[in-house]
Amino acid sequence: MVTTLHTTGPALTLPRRVERKYVLPQPRTPGAAAWLRHACRPAPEYATGAVSSCYFDTPNFDSYYESADGALSKGKVRLRWYDAWPASGSPGGGTDADAELPAFLELKCRQGAESWKRRLPLTLPRDGGAPHPALPGPGQLTELLARLGYSAPGALRPAALVRYRRRRFVEPVTGARVSLDHDVTVSAPWMRRAPPLRFDEAVVEIKGQDEDALPRRLAALGRFAQPWSANSKYAAAVEALDLVPGQ
């Protein structure tokens, strides 16, 4: 069956930014959240919420190996949606009860510590009681990616579904965006794998323009979280779900 989907706007290129990621044990999440509330301001929009990302990859898992091998230049394709959508100022303005789900098809590229992405807003039909919306087929995905100016190295298919709770903050001096991602679960429902697996780690992500140093107000972050600049939720999901043969 062909999935009926609708694009709701033009493809957009988001500004380049430097990303830093800090991994901490899941039990430290409440303490990290309290500290971030002291050091930062809650984001003016979407301060809390849930994020779901369906990552696509080739049958040879080219995108996974770029992350796992620490390639300097890498990219990934994902379909991302959220647990809520504002009633105004957004396509659809829907709720979980609506038949269509607002989403973004994203091409995320990374060169060293610097990353940027192009995204295409669209709506997808909900797939009954499934843990994900109805996904675009291979031909539709290729067509949509062409609108992002991207030609995949091979046929893409769904690889891993990653879900987590996110708390968003803004560092008031530099304007850096800070997020705390926790309660991370991964699954591959289209492969009839085991029930979703839950990670025992959370991640703090800092996104800004400064390549040299953390904002001073966030310097204490290294005292309770371990820096891991190569952290990739998608690569961790592939490994946890044992998706790569002979891995």
Side-chain angles (χ1 to χ4, degrees):
M1 182 178 67
V2 177
T3 300
T4 302
L5 54 83
H6 306 281
T7 56
T8 58
L12 299 174
T13 300
L14 277 66
R16 292 176 180 247
R17 61 195 182 189
V18 175
E19 289 189 359
R20 291 183 176 85
K21 300 182 181 182
Y22 293 79
V23 178
L24 60 150
Q26 173 68 29
R28 293 188 183 178
T29 296
W35 177 75
L36 287 170
R37 285 196 298 269
H38 172 75
C40 302
R41 296 193 302 257
E45 293 184 307
Y46 316 114
T48 61
V51 181
S52 298
S53 296
C54 172
Y55 289 89
F56 294 84
D57 211 335
T58 65
N60 294 325
F61 286 89
D62 293 324
S63 182
Y64 160 75
Y65 280 113
E66 285 181 350
S67 291
D69 296 342
L72 181 64
S73 179
K74 50 195 170 185
K76 63 185 67 171
V77 173
R78 67 190 181 197
L79 186 66
R80 172 165 287 187
W81 61 95
Y82 302 89
D83 66 340
W85 200 259
S88 61
S90 64
T95 67
D96 286 344
D98 291 331
E100 291 187 324
L101 178 73
F104 294 98
L105 181 65
E106 297 184 337
L107 169 64
K108 184 175 181 181
C109 300
R110 188 180 182 101
Q111 181 75 26
E114 190 178 53
S115 70
W116 64 98
K117 64 183 177 183
R118 284 181 59 78
R119 63 179 357 183
L120 180 66
L122 47 85
T123 59
L124 294 174
R126 297 183 185 273
D127 193 7
H132 58 83
L135 303 176
Q140 291 174 313
L141 183 61
T142 299
E143 180 181 344
L144 291 170
L145 289 173
R147 296 183 61 175
L148 292 174
Y150 179 68
S151 178
L156 296 181
R157 61 184 184 182
L161 178 62
V162 181
R163 295 177 171 227
Y164 49 90
R165 304 295 300 181
R166 169 166 281 186
R167 304 187 188 193
R168 298 175 178 87
F169 306 87
V170 176
E171 199 282 317
V173 177
T174 65
R177 296 168 53 196
V178 184
S179 61
L180 172 61
D181 298 340
H182 58 100
D183 295 328
V184 183
T185 62
V186 299
S187 63
W190 39 80
M191 298 181 65
R192 298 183 180 180
R193 293 278 178 170
L197 302 177
R198 180 173 176 175
F199 285 174
D200 59 1
E201 294 177 327
V203 181
V204 174
E205 294 187 5
I206 303 174
K207 303 169 185 177
Q209 302 299 320
D210 190 350
E211 298 185 15
D212 299 322
L214 282 172
R216 291 183 60 184
R217 295 173 68 91
L218 300 178
L221 181 60
R223 298 178 184 176
F224 62 89
Q226 178 180 358
W228 186 16
S229 60
N231 176 267
S232 166
K233 294 184 181 73
Y234 170 58
V238 169
E239 294 165 3
L241 295 168
D242 195 24
L243 297 179
V244 179
Q247 185 182 356

